[in-house]
Amino acid sequence: MSLGEFDLIARYFTRPTQRAVLGVGDDCALLQPTPGMHLAVSSDMLVEGRHFLSTVAPQRLGHKALAVNLSDLAACGATPLAFTLALALPRPDETFLAGFARGLLALADEHHIELVGGDTTAGPLNLCITVFGEVPAGQALRRDGACAGDGLWVSHALGGGIGDARLALEVFRGRISLPGAAFERVRCAMEQPQPRVALGLALRGVASAAIDLSDGLAGDLGHVLRRSKVGATVDLDALPCSDVLAAQPEALRRECTASGGDDYELLFCAADDMAVRAAAQAAGVGVTRIGRIEAEPGLRWVDRQGRLLAFSPNGFDHFAD
Ligand code: ADP
Ligand code: MG
């Protein structure tokens, strides 16, 4: 007999509650907010064929579904508390569910965040997670605080960079090919991003503005600049990249790093370089200064000699043609 909706929830998505007052199994979950804290709430939906390929291992998909949500909390400087999972599945495939739940809950445990509820329905594969976090009132990192004179920074794995997820996508699209080990590394960047929660927390009081990179640096930086009513100059050749991406032709490397998407790194602005480096060290994450915030609106790209480039990558927009 196939697995019913409630057995499925009980088997794969119900665990004893820890911090929550009430978890899975009632009409609502109950959370106890900490006095003096603001709740930080964010949802991200993953649709097959749009946000992930059918070839992804279920365990990695479980990881990524939560990782992209934790990345939003990181970009706010919020501490993760709990999350809900709304799931549409074509059928109750237990191999898929077991792998998906394993990847999802492993990342949840790593960040001490618990699954407190959700919804389960039959339908084309679609995953929507809502995360709840908290941040001391008035200390959230926002998009609208960048000031002329601030340095512009991006996070990355130690020894790594941004743009690998896009490079992996180009391999899947058949545009380029990579040797096996190199492909596995960039595929891992695409399928198992590491949300920069510790860095987000360490940047409270240091960063003037922050955003996580989901739609590509150019597009996401544009959001910060517009919200903050400032402009920026970015050194295209200073964008950090992995050895694999560094070995690609210049045009492809620039395209992947400047407009790749799916990086889930933090892009942030700060007045004090030393404080940024101390925060990154405390969080065990790499950071690279890639440009500066300026009063003049707009985004200007320069090369490593400081020459202005005619370069205009686009951010990703689901409804753009
Ligand atoms: P209701 O009909 O009252 O919305 P449901 O019958 O849909 O409740 O769900 C029963 C319980 O299981 C609720 O507590 C709900 O939050 C939880 N739940 C449903 N789907 C999931 C899921 N995919 N992951 C975690 N909890 C879930
Ligand atoms: Mg329901």
Side-chain angles (χ1 to χ4, degrees):
M1 208 183 77
S2 91
L3 189 67
E5 176 187 339
F6 299 102
D7 295 333
L8 182 164
I9 296 166
R11 188 168 309 169
Y12 295 106
F13 300 118
T14 307
R15 296 193 303 176
T17 50
Q18 295 162 40
R19 207 162 15 175
V21 179
L22 189 60
V24 171
D26 213 302
D27 295 309
C28 288
L30 297 175
L31 305 174
Q32 175 69 62
T34 308
M37 304 290 260
H38 281 165
L39 262 186
V41 182
S42 179
S43 294
D44 255 311
M45 182 152 64
L46 267 69
V47 176
E48 184 169 11
R50 257 241 152 227
H51 302 96
F52 61 93
L53 305 169
S54 57
T55 48
V56 65
Q59 191 168 340
R60 289 188 175 189
L61 184 60
H63 172 102
K64 183 163 178 175
L66 182 57
V68 304
N69 279 278
L70 286 173
S71 180
D72 284 314
L73 289 183
C76 263
T79 305
L81 293 176
F83 68 106
T84 60
L85 168 68
L87 182 66
L89 281 174
R91 64 199 154 277
D93 174 343
E94 294 217 51
T95 309
F96 173 84
L97 282 163
F100 177 80
R102 200 177 320 121
L104 179 84
L105 297 176
L107 186 65
D109 288 344
E110 219 178 285
H111 290 274
H112 313 289
I113 181 173
E114 58 185 321
L115 177 56
V116 294
D119 198 23
T120 305
T121 175
L125 187 56
N126 188 326
L127 311 159
C128 183
I129 287 181
T130 297
V131 281
F132 301 86
E134 61 181 19
V135 56
Q139 290 186 32
L141 306 177
R142 299 163 46 140
R143 298 178 179 184
D144 60 4
C147 296
D150 286 348
L152 180 63
W153 296 78
V154 69
S155 70
H156 48 85
L158 292 165
I162 56 174
D164 279 354
R166 172 62 174 273
L167 191 63
L169 186 62
E170 297 301 345
V171 176
F172 279 111
R173 284 174 170 164
R175 186 171 152 203
I176 60 157
S177 65
L178 287 176
F183 175 55
E184 197 41 51
R185 279 175 56 198
V186 295
R187 179 181 188 167
C188 204
M190 178 170 95
E191 295 179 345
Q192 295 200 283
Q194 300 301 320
R196 303 301 181 195
V197 174
L199 180 63
L201 296 178
L203 286 174
R204 290 204 303 231
V206 174
S208 55
I211 188 170
D212 70 315
L213 292 179
S214 54
D215 297 336
L217 175 80
D220 289 327
L221 175 55
H223 296 309
V224 171
L225 300 182
R226 277 187 296 276
R227 293 291 297 275
S228 298
K229 301 189 172 61
V230 291
T233 292
V234 176
D235 178 350
L236 193 50
D237 296 318
L239 302 183
C241 66
S242 67
D243 297 348
V244 177
L245 190 49
Q248 300 303 311
E250 183 183 74
L252 180 61
R253 171 176 58 77
R254 285 178 166 181
E255 180 187 327
C256 289
T257 51
S259 63
D262 255 7
D263 293 303
Y264 301 102
E265 294 294 349
L266 298 187
L267 175 72
F268 57 94
C269 312
D272 183 346
D273 288 4
M274 297 269 284
V276 170
R277 295 201 185 283
Q281 193 159 21
V285 176
V287 289
T288 297
R289 189 176 156 136
I290 60 168
R292 62 178 177 275
I293 299 295
E294 295 159 340
E296 188 191 341
L299 174 50
R300 293 159 289 280
W301 300 92
V302 295
D303 66 9
R304 64 171 65 79
Q305 278 84 37
R307 289 178 302 215
L308 203 59
L309 297 168
F311 180 76
S312 55
N314 292 316
F316 185 73
D317 176 338
H318 282 287
F319 295 107
D321 44 28

